[in-house]
Amino acid sequence: MSQKPINYLHLSTLVAVAILVGTELVGASWAAGWALGGLFQLDPMISRGIEIVFAAFGLIGLYFFMKTAIRNEPIRG
């Protein structure tokens, strides 16, 4: 069974989108956690925990975004 060759234009587009959207999404969610910790004057360890949870939500959002992007612009084909 032969596979179609890799379309490097689509691959480079997806890598660029992953970097751009990933930086924006994870950075904004991490900053939101930091801002909430500072706003409510939480203990630094609790604030770091909130930052990590928010960053995890950003990574989950990036995963689903990239899943959709790969479906709409396949690497092979």
Side-chain angles (χ1 to χ4, degrees):
M1 188 164 148
S2 64
Q3 291 184 345
K4 294 180 181 179
I6 293 176
N7 185 336
Y8 288 103
L9 181 61
H10 287 187
L11 180 63
S12 66
T13 301
L14 289 170
V15 168
V17 164
I19 292 169
L20 178 67
V21 172
T23 304
E24 297 276 338
L25 194 57
V26 174
S29 59
W30 193 290
W34 170 80
L36 286 175
L39 181 67
F40 294 117
Q41 297 179 352
L42 298 174
D43 184 65
M45 289 303 293
I46 295 172
S47 181
R48 298 293 181 263
I50 292 173
E51 291 173 23
I52 290 169
V53 169
F54 275 50
F57 282 131
L59 288 170
I60 292 168
L62 177 61
Y63 169 76
F64 285 111
F65 177 82
M66 287 307 297
K67 192 174 172 181
T68 304
I70 290 170
R71 189 177 333 129
N72 289 312
E73 190 159 343
I75 296 172
R76 294 192 182 270

